[in-house]
Amino acid sequence: MSIDLSDLNSDPRYTRQGGIHVPANTGETKWFSGDVYTVRLGAAATNGAIGIVEASVPPGSGPVAHTHADQDETFYLLSGELEFLDGDRIFTASAGDIVFIPRTIRHRFKNVGLHTAKMLFLYTPGGAENLFLEGGDEPEPGVAVQAWGPERFDERILGLFRKHGVEALPEDW
């Protein structure tokens, strides 16, 4: 059997392109709820398939407990340790750990350590990452990100939560 290589050039499985390359240190960065989030790959670029966010979580920081109506969320810790809430269970995840939270499950993470934790989190399908882009603060070089108190969760932010299928279910408000 012989293969005519010229036939491969007309086969779209060999020539069609559609991959996405996201170079290091790219994406849109926002401060949100005391954390630094960089949207590395958004739903708009992936036909809604996935949203990927790089996070830096300073000591004492992390989001309020919440659920997602339409997205599962997967966390991959790159460095540090984070305390996770899963429903009513609390556990600690460390560098190299993966945590998967299905949609509608109450969850949050909190840095209870001494050093900034870094992680990637993935929304499937994508879309919830737009909450950070629409509601986050512009970062200021040379300035530490500020924690958000309950007063920041005003009608504008809660409206963005609703828009993106997020419901705040705080532990101590």
Side-chain angles (χ1 to χ4, degrees), residues 100-120:
F100 173 77
I101 304 290
R103 63 194 73 192
T104 75
I105 300 297
R106 179 176 170 249
H107 66 285
R108 61 113 175 108
F109 53 84
K110 183 175 183 179
N111 186 340
V112 294
L114 296 174
H115 302 283
T116 297
K118 295 189 183 266
M119 70 174 161
L120 293 175

Side-chain angles (χ1 to χ4, degrees), residues 114-158:
L114 296 174
H115 302 283
T116 297
K118 295 189 183 266
M119 70 174 161
L120 293 175
F121 54 95
L122 297 80
Y123 292 112
T124 50
E129 70 279 0
N130 290 317
L131 171 62
F132 309 129
L133 299 177
E134 293 176 37
D137 299 326
E138 288 298 323
E140 298 179 46
V143 176
V145 61
Q146 297 298 307
W148 286 12
E151 70 282 353
R152 281 299 305 267
F153 293 89
D154 57 14
E155 188 51 42
R156 182 179 90 75
I157 292 295
L158 294 177

Side-chain angles (χ1 to χ4, degrees), residues 64-80:
V64 63
H66 61 281
T67 64
H68 298 275
D70 302 316
Q71 283 92 15
D72 299 324
E73 196 168 9
T74 303
F75 303 89
Y76 175 61
L77 272 77
L78 301 168
S79 66

Side-chain angles (χ1 to χ4, degrees), residues 4-79:
D4 182 356
L5 295 179
S6 65
D7 290 341
L8 297 180
N9 291 332
S10 63
D11 185 336
R13 294 175 299 168
Y14 287 84
T15 59
R16 187 168 162 233
Q17 298 173 4
I20 299 170
H21 170 228
V22 181
N25 302 313
T26 62
E28 188 171 352
T29 300
K30 296 288 185 171
W31 287 350
F32 195 93
S33 191
D35 300 334
V36 180
Y37 296 145
T38 301
V39 175
R40 298 296 314 278
L41 184 62
T46 64
N47 198 29
I50 193 167
I52 301 177
V53 178
E54 185 176 324
S56 293
V57 185
S61 193
V64 63
H66 61 281
T67 64
H68 298 275
D70 302 316
Q71 283 92 15
D72 299 324
E73 196 168 9
T74 303
F75 303 89
Y76 175 61
L77 272 77
L78 301 168
S79 66

